[in-house]
Amino acid sequence: MQVYLDNNATTMTDPLVVEAMMPYFSELYGNPNSLHKFGTSSHPAISTAIDQVYKALNASDADDIVFTSCATESNNWVLKSIYLDHIVNGEKNHIITTEVEHPSILATCRWLEEECDVKVTYLPVNEQGVVEAHTVKSFVTDKTALVTIMWASNETGAIFPIAEIGEVCKEKGVLFHSDAVQAVGKIPVDLQATHIDFISFSAHKFHGPKGVGGLFIRNSQALSPFFHGGEHMGGRRSGTLNVPFIVGIGKAMELATTDMDAKMTSISKKRDRLEDAILKLSDTFVVGDRVNRTPNTILISIRGVEGESMLWDLNNEQIGASTGSACASEDLEANTVMLAIGADNELAHTGIRLSLSRFTTDAEIDYTISHFEKAVKRLRTISSSYAVQQPTKGGEVQECELH
Ligand code: C6P
């Protein structure tokens, strides 16, 4: 059996999505900006995809949703254009974010600090792995141009209090962006119910194709374009529209958000069964409570078991997991999110992220439980540090309060 439990890195493209995309490669391949029928024949499909995305996110006609190549592009676009529009050509000089954002936010913020002299505040997270609205409020000043905070963590699954943070931004008159990559298609995202100016998302996180994402722009407000060179997407993003992938993101969004409650319940049941089984092993800790967590995610640490060793043992049994963000997978450092949450350095080297999808089966969970237990036992037997620690720690290592 093969078990894929790295769905926060990417998901399998749903065969129904592939089927919807296929005609737009070799049959209806015209450039949608061309005036002839080869071009215009793809217009209905693009309109359908736009409708599917607006409906899934509950966006209004006054809002703009622009298709991009991925969330990394959407995140870069927002940050760099806010800098141009509100810092270089405005009175502000400050951005607020968190310590646990995806590298496409953190690296861009660092670049803005180093190259453009922008002041950036990186808020710490609490033991649940989130930043509370009152913390955001206490750091907003009259120089703050943007608050950018993820909707849900790719590493822990922790869901941030986005509605409350939105209210703070509204009260303070500050623009609010959320990297919603791990929320869209996994948990309800209702843009009418939330005061938010921009969100980023990416199709391959919810069984759409890789290479297409989007940026939601509230009330079609001004935002300097990132790509220049044409009038595509109303001048928002130049470049020939990627019709098959736009069809794919629309279809994937529709499938992910139809009967979402039932999908969430089914995934979380499997996730909880896996989590319960792993927590029966001694000295294991899961980050964050289950209620405020995306239904598919577990970040678990296992005292005495190096994350990378565990990964390879699981890999040998055909189980794909990760130690955290795929973008940092070549970095054998401690898991920075776990350190931010308060784990000690040793524990932060033991994090394993297991992320399910709606395609994960009960049989796969059974298989994973049995091989996970075997791997932990084997690795602890050969781990000298774990053997030495046992008598002194006595299994009581709750001091890091991860669970
Ligand atoms: N996180 C992970 O293993 P792209 O690749 O551009 O479509 O998405 C980037 C991205 C942005 N924000 C968040 C919160 C994300 O989780 C990701 C992708 C993967 O966690 C790959 S690094």
Side-chain angles (χ1 to χ4, degrees):
M1 179 179 276
Q2 288 201 129
V3 186
Y4 181 69
L5 292 178
D6 199 11
N7 288 281
N8 283 5
T10 196
T11 57
M12 174 190 88
T13 309
D14 188 324
L16 292 173
V17 171
V18 177
E19 192 183 301
M21 292 168 64
M22 286 314 280
Y24 300 93
F25 287 103
S26 304
E27 293 162 47
L28 301 167
Y29 52 81
N31 185 327
N33 273 52
S34 302
L35 297 178
H36 47 65
K37 75 174 188 131
F38 297 91
T40 56
S41 58
S42 62
H43 289 187
I46 295 170
S47 299
T48 302
I50 292 171
D51 289 347
Q52 286 163 326
V53 175
Y54 271 71
K55 185 170 174 227
L57 300 176
N58 199 15
S60 87
D61 288 346
D63 305 320
D64 254 359
I65 291 177
V66 182
F67 295 115
T68 61
S69 63
C70 58
T72 299
E73 180 190 325
S74 306
N75 287 342
N76 270 266
W77 177 15
V78 167
L79 286 167
K80 291 174 181 171
S81 295
I82 294 289
Y83 164 70
L84 275 180
D85 298 344
H86 298 271
I87 297 179
V88 170
N89 295 314
E91 301 288 296
K92 317 248 176 176
N93 71 347
H94 179 223
I95 290 175
I96 296 178
T97 189
T98 77
E99 286 177 351
V100 297
E101 299 295 312
H102 184 265
S104 54
I105 294 284
L106 289 178
T108 310
C109 282
R110 280 191 210 107
W111 181 84
L112 287 169
E113 278 183 297
E114 284 160 21
E115 303 293 330
C116 312
D117 211 19
V118 175
K119 309 276 172 271
V120 182
T121 302
Y122 300 89
L123 297 176
V125 290
N126 65 16
E127 69 283 356
Q128 293 295 325
V130 301
V131 168
E132 288 160 56
H134 65 83
T135 310
V136 176
K137 189 172 182 174
S138 65
F139 283 90
V140 174
T141 72
D142 57 358
K143 293 283 184 195
T144 308
L146 179 75
V147 170
T148 174
I149 293 186
M150 64 195 341
W151 201 300
S153 163
N154 52 325
E155 307 227 32
T156 64
I159 300 171
F160 285 65
I162 292 300
E164 289 89 332
I165 296 170
E167 287 309 309
V168 165
C169 293
K170 184 177 173 186
E171 183 193 323
K172 297 275 187 182
V174 174
L175 292 171
F176 181 30
H177 164 253
S178 182
D179 173 351
V181 164
Q182 297 290 346
V184 168
K186 288 187 179 155
I187 55 171
V189 170
D190 182 345
L191 294 171
Q192 295 308 310
T194 318
H195 174 85
I196 194 155
D197 293 285
F198 311 98
I199 72 162
S200 306
F201 51 93
S202 195
H204 71 103
K205 306 294 183 176
F206 49 91
H207 303 290
K210 292 162 192 60
V212 59
L215 183 70
F216 160 84
I217 304 173
R218 171 82 67 204
N219 270 334
S220 304
Q221 64 188 278
L223 186 72
S224 288
F226 197 44
F227 290 0
H228 297 90
E231 287 306 307
H232 309 89
M233 296 206 188
R236 289 279 198 194
R237 183 185 186 269
S238 299
T240 301
L241 269 63
N242 188 344
V243 180
F245 284 61
I246 290 172
V247 169
I249 194 171
K251 186 70 185 171
M253 190 85 99
E254 181 186 71
L255 290 169
T257 54
T258 303
D259 295 327
M260 195 175 216
D261 282 351
K263 286 193 179 82
M264 285 169 58
T265 306
S266 159
I267 296 172
S268 63
K269 264 191 191 159
K270 294 182 187 102
R271 189 270 315 263
D272 293 352
R273 198 159 69 76
L274 176 58
E275 188 170 312
D276 287 340
I278 298 175
L279 283 172
K280 282 197 186 121
L281 303 168
S282 61
D283 288 353
T284 48
F285 311 91
V286 168
V287 177
D289 64 41
R290 285 179 184 174
V291 183
N292 288 312
R293 194 157 18 115
T294 46
N296 75 321
T297 307
I298 309 173
L299 178 63
I300 193 143
S301 62
I302 310 148
R303 181 78 71 183
V305 175
E306 279 256 319
E308 270 72 29
S309 312
M310 188 67 193
L311 207 67
W312 287 116
D313 262 38
L314 292 176
N315 191 48
N316 286 339
E317 300 299 343
Q318 313 294 316
I319 300 169
S322 67
T323 51
S325 169
C327 301
S329 60
E330 284 171 20
D331 181 355
L332 299 187
E333 302 285 303
N335 182 304
T336 48
V337 175
M338 292 184 66
L339 287 175
I341 287 164
D344 61 45
N345 193 50
E346 185 213 330
L347 210 52
H349 274 91
T350 69
I352 285 280
R353 180 180 73 177
L354 302 167
S355 48
L356 289 67
S357 85
R358 64 174 187 261
F359 292 99
T360 308
T361 65
D362 275 310
E364 290 173 350
I365 296 296
D366 292 336
Y367 179 88
T368 305
I369 290 171
S370 105
H371 287 286
F372 204 96
E373 287 170 353
K374 272 191 219 149
V376 169
K377 279 183 193 143
R378 194 187 82 76
L379 292 169
R380 277 183 171 164
T381 315
I382 57 172
S383 158
S384 54
S385 67
Y386 187 69
V388 169
Q389 267 178 24
Q390 281 311 285
T392 50
K393 298 237 172 194
E396 292 198 5
V397 282
Q398 298 288 353
E399 74 274 10
C400 54
E401 288 177 354
L402 285 180
H403 180 40

